[in-house]
Amino acid sequence: MAVRKLLDEIYEVGALHYDRELFDELIPLPDGTSYNAYLIIGSEKTALLDTVDPSKKTKLIQNLDRINVKKIDYIVSHHAEQDHSGSIPAVLERFPEAEVVTNSKCKKALLDHLDVPEDRFKVMENHEELSLGNKTLEFINMPWVHWPETLVTYLKEKNILFSCDFFGSHLATSNLYVQDRRKVYLSAKRYYAEIMMPFRESIKGHLNKIRDMEVDIIAPSHGPIYRDPDFILDAYEEWVDDKTKEEVVIPYVSMHGSTEKMVNHLVDHLMEKGISVSPFNLSTTDIGDLAMALVDASTVVIGSPTVLVGPHPKAVYAAHLFNSLRPKTRYASLIGSYGWGGRMPEQIKDSLGNFQGEFLEPIVIKGLPSDKDMKDVEKLADKIIDKQRKDDLVK
Ligand code: FEO
């Protein structure tokens, strides 16, 4: 049990999950995560902003008991995903007078995902306000941060934006506020890369809205709270910006060494020309690290051998991830090898339907790379360098 005080009558009552290893049974969590829930006590009413993952519902109830909460009038649900909404039924059971406050889309999603009676909802319009007496909550819709129903809450008297997933970081830390800025920056970037990058365009609009507001504190639903909102707003503005960095990311897998030789040659040649390059061996890499590298990179080159006449399944996985995360990458290509034949390049290229940039001619060779094959790898590196340097969107 641990209740952390933001300000008088405003508490963080959620739960840290230090030892959670995966999110969505997919995303590695090297630093665990937290499910932040905020209690705001007004002169007349009390509101709980979000709940916690169902696995931590007992912790939430214990935290509320610890500060002797006798009545909750409103449970504000910003987002129907269960890591924030999943304990709403438990809180409703403990506080039977509470209403679930949300927008109409989130209400529908909550009815789809949770066992909450329909008559327990109070539906709010965009920018509608709810008075707690001496405190006022304004609800602002922020759809497609990564789900379509999401809203945030602005506590007007204190200029606090409760942003739910937006600006969050999977980081279980006892620090309520950001202390280690570098650590939080990387965790927030990883979170953006894995969850929000496909929604870059809608996030740009939301950032503009927030820049027009007076915000002194941003309190997300994962990770530490920002007392310096510019720290995370500036970071997000850079991540969503159309400009890329002069960097090459190479997710690759190699079975008998041919593809690896080509990858190493490509890396060496790019390095000697002063280009930032990040190879990721897909047999061992953390996909979160790969996703983070995709946030800024201008170019992605996938490396794959041929297995069962197609790409290696790990290369298929990387291509699918690249396609689904929709990074702002300007150039893509493919290098690899085959034993006797196959349709590896066509299958990789066909899987990149969302990619809006230029696909450079792949280099796919038979067996061990010859001197000529290595010269072709150098030519690909030179082409990448030339394209990146002439591109106004690459800085
Ligand atoms: Fe933290 Fe989209 O849930």
Side-chain angles (χ1 to χ4, degrees), residues 23 79 81 83-84 146-147 165 191 222:
F23 205 84
H79 175 34
E81 196 166 11
D83 52 327
H84 309 294
H146 84 119
W147 276 31
D165 277 347
Y191 188 83
H222 296 287

Side-chain angles (χ1 to χ4, degrees), residues 161-303:
L161 185 72
F162 295 93
S163 60
C164 195
D165 277 347
F166 205 5
F167 310 118
S169 56
H170 282 312
L171 181 57
T173 168
S174 57
N175 298 325
L176 180 61
Y177 290 101
V178 174
Q179 290 200 1
D180 182 342
R181 287 167 75 99
R182 181 73 190 152
K183 176 87 176 161
V184 176
Y185 177 91
L186 291 174
S187 294
K189 185 174 186 180
R190 173 184 269 261
Y191 188 83
Y192 164 81
E194 292 165 338
I195 293 169
M196 297 179 178
M197 188 155 61
F199 309 100
R200 209 164 52 87
E201 291 305 323
S202 57
I203 289 174
K204 281 182 191 173
H206 298 324
L207 289 172
N208 289 337
K209 273 189 253 173
I210 293 169
R211 282 293 192 192
D212 288 339
M213 296 165 64
E214 201 172 332
V215 176
D216 295 333
I217 291 175
I218 293 179
S221 295
H222 296 287
I225 296 170
Y226 305 93
R227 262 191 293 221
D228 171 13
D230 282 343
F231 164 64
I232 193 67
L233 289 170
D234 290 350
Y236 259 74
E237 280 167 354
E238 186 177 337
W239 300 334
V240 301
D241 189 83
D242 290 339
K243 290 213 157 104
T244 59
K245 292 185 179 161
E246 200 176 354
E247 292 174 3
V248 180
V249 168
I250 309 175
Y252 75 96
V253 56
S254 186
M255 297 191 308
H256 301 297
S258 295
T259 300
E260 188 166 37
K261 280 196 174 92
M262 297 170 78
V263 167
N264 289 342
H265 198 62
L266 181 61
V267 169
D268 291 347
H269 196 75
L270 289 166
M271 278 172 59
E272 283 173 2
K273 297 280 176 93
I275 301 298
S276 297
V277 52
S278 301
F280 290 90
N281 184 334
L282 295 166
S283 294
T284 54
T285 201
D286 170 335
I287 59 161
D289 289 337
L290 173 57
M292 277 171 80
L294 293 175
V295 171
D296 305 308
S298 301
T299 303
V300 172
V301 180
I302 295 171

